[in-house]
Each structure stands twice: as C-alpha cells, then as structure tokens.
Amino acid sequence: MTERTDEAVPPPTRHVTTTRIVAVRGDALEVRGDRVVGEEPLEIRAAGPRQDPVAVAVTMRTPGYEDELAVGFLRTEGLIEGPEILRVDTGDPNAMNQPDDTAIVRLSKAFDASKVAERHFVATASCGICGKASLDEVEMRAEPIPAGAPVVSRSTLLALPDALRGAQRAFDETGGLHASGLFSPTGELRVLREDVGRHNALDKAIGAEVLAGRLPLNDTILMVSGRVSFEIVQKAAVAGIPIVCAVSAPSDLAISAADRLGVTLVGFLRGDGFNVYSHDNRIDLGDLVAWK
C-alpha cells in the first residue's frame, strides 16, 4: 500500500455552524457567537441494477463525506463486499432542502434486502447500531485477523494521540467531535474523519478506503479519540485492521471481541503510557527491562 495523506481533501459542508450564546466566566458575562458541531440525519439506501433503493438505516451524523459514511456502514455491517459499488447518489435536490441527507449506494448486483430485515437496524449518533434483535445479530461473523505483522514500536504508539489531535480541524472549532484516524505502522496519517458519532467517524474512514479499493487494511493502525466499544472493534476487524488504539477505556465486550478476532487492543494511550488488552505480540516492548 502506498503512503498517502488527506491534505488534498476539501473540508466537509455544514459540519460546523454558528450560534448565539451567553458565556459566563466567573463574574463576567459575554454575549457572542460560538461554533458548534453539526448534527443531521442521513438515510442510507442501497440498490442494484433495476432495483428500487432499499432503506437500510437512518443515522444521526455530522454532515460531510456522506458517500464514505454510507459505503463504510454497509461494508462494516456485512451488507456489501466493496467491489460491487458503482457510485453513491444523493437525494433529489428538487424534492429535498438538503439532498445530501440521503445517500443511495448503487451496486453492480442486486442488493439483498432480506439482510436488512434480519438485522433490525436502528442507528443513533451516540451508540451506533442499537436495538438489534439479538446478540447473535450483533456478533457478525468476521474472520479473525491473521497473527503477526505489523509490529509497531512503543514510540510510534505514543505519538498517535498528538498526531490525531493535531489533524482534527473541526474539533479545533467546536470541541465536540470524535475522530478516527488510520495510520501506517510507522505512524504516518493516512485518513482522518470526524463525526459527532465515534462509529460514524470510523465508517467514514473505512468507507474512504473501500472506495479507493484498499481493503483489507492489514497494515493499518486505528486510533480513536474516545473509548472503545464492541462495535468499534467489530468494524475494525471487518475491515482487516489489526491494531486498535484509544485514548480512553475499552469495554469488557470490546476486549473479548478483540481477543476472539485477533485484534491488538490498546487503551488509555496518553502521555507516556498505555494498556494492551489483547494480542500484545504486535507491540514491540523489547526496550523495556521489565518486559518478559
């Protein structure tokens, strides 16, 4: 995989808005404008040749990169493979005030609508796909990631939080967005996406790689700005990402999923430390005297 960055990607539209606030600081009061993160619904649909679009899910998201979000969602939820994607259309501008609030993924083969009925999708910005009928539906049958490479140095891991934070353009304006960054094994940023939902940020980043034909992402490190849920690990595993890092804590279900799926899970990555919860063989700790 060739190295790449997101420098040429234009900023998304409507991802940040302005509102009037009354700011109180101690005994001082100021009425001023403030920048806040955008949040709007996106309806994701899919359609094969001569097939009416099938409504898959409605998710609350930060506007921008709708094509990547739709594609990433469909791929990480196991509804498409990727090569069958022809294009992504938005809604009818003559009928909708915000036509990009609908994304229709056009496929070269028929879309299996029965999978949607089986999965019972209900998506929110805070928790991703909630309300699935059973844990069996949540536990997607992702193949375990092969053991071995990449092996990442401790110094590379410790540099990831600052690299992620330094590339968060919208967070600098609002302070209210999650981020998912995909990095090379030596720490170069490849793709970064922000969203009010951490799962949406990851779907956008993975969707960008799907559209570029770069899956599986077996030589990639994922760095997320918050905690790690089961769903983050699951989506990473579906995309073939072997190392998942976060500045905060993983859940117990995320840890067990990472162990089962062959994912190296790193939490509390901040300052000069971190915890490795599963498959620590991918982290080079040979320079530490106490490491055995």
Side-chain angles (χ1 to χ4, degrees):
M1 183 185 294
T2 58
E3 300 299 334
R4 60 205 181 275
T5 67
D6 259 1
E7 292 179 359
V9 177
T13 60
R14 303 192 337 273
H15 67 301
V16 175
T17 60
T18 301
T19 189
R20 174 187 175 276
I21 67 167
V22 177
V24 177
R25 302 292 183 270
D27 58 0
L29 180 149
E30 180 186 8
V31 179
R32 59 176 172 84
D34 193 33
R35 303 284 277 170
V36 296
V37 60
E39 182 178 20
E40 296 182 15
L42 173 70
E43 182 179 24
I44 299 172
R45 303 178 183 178
R50 298 176 298 279
Q51 183 180 24
D52 290 334
V54 176
V56 178
V58 176
T59 184
M60 299 302 297
R61 99 296 187 192
T62 299
Y65 305 111
E66 285 76 20
D67 57 341
E68 296 173 357
L69 175 54
V71 167
F73 174 86
L74 293 175
R75 179 65 189 90
T76 62
E77 291 296 330
L79 299 176
I80 62 172
E81 292 299 319
E84 72 271 36
I85 298 169
L86 297 176
R87 67 183 189 277
V88 181
D89 296 334
T90 56
D92 182 358
N94 296 317
M96 300 179 64
N97 181 44
Q98 301 292 353
D100 59 359
D101 283 351
T102 296
I104 306 170
V105 181
R106 302 289 183 178
L107 307 172
S108 61
K109 62 181 183 180
F111 179 72
D112 186 357
S114 66
K115 292 183 178 180
V116 178
E118 292 170 359
R119 299 291 300 281
H120 303 282
F121 293 113
V122 179
T124 72
S126 60
C127 67
I129 299 304
C130 305
K132 293 178 182 176
S134 70
L135 187 58
D136 289 340
E137 294 180 7
V138 180
E139 287 273 6
M140 285 179 53
R141 292 166 293 281
E143 291 294 325
I145 294 174
V151 176
V152 177
S153 70
R154 184 165 59 98
S155 61
T156 294
L157 277 191
L158 293 175
L160 293 181
D162 285 344
L164 185 78
R165 179 66 182 83
Q168 285 188 255
R169 292 176 298 182
F171 184 90
D172 286 338
E173 296 185 64
T174 68
L177 284 175
H178 291 287
S180 288
L182 301 179
F183 292 83
S184 75
T186 52
E188 289 81 19
L189 178 63
R190 292 174 169 171
V191 176
L192 181 140
R193 294 292 181 263
E194 295 176 280
D195 199 277
V196 4
R198 61 176 56 86
H199 59 95
N200 285 341
L202 179 54
D203 276 340
K204 288 178 178 179
I206 292 175
E209 299 292 75
V210 173
L211 289 170
R214 287 191 277 257
L215 261 64
L217 302 176
N218 293 147
D219 66 341
T220 303
I221 306 168
L222 168 65
M223 179 74 204
V224 299
S225 59
R227 62 182 175 82
V228 180
S229 64
F230 163 83
E231 191 172 48
I232 294 295
V233 171
Q234 175 185 273
K235 287 176 179 291
V238 171
I241 298 171
I243 303 174
V244 175
C245 303
V247 298
S248 191
S251 69
D252 60 349
L253 191 57
I255 295 169
S256 64
D259 185 63
R260 177 177 64 84
L261 294 171
V263 174
T264 298
L265 181 58
V266 178
F268 292 106
L269 177 53
R270 57 182 77 162
D272 62 355
F274 53 84
N275 297 339
V276 186
Y277 294 89
S278 61
H279 299 280
D280 55 56
N281 55 298
R282 293 196 182 96
I283 311 301
D284 183 0
L285 301 174
D287 61 324
L288 299 180
V289 175
W291 175 249
K292 295 181 180 180

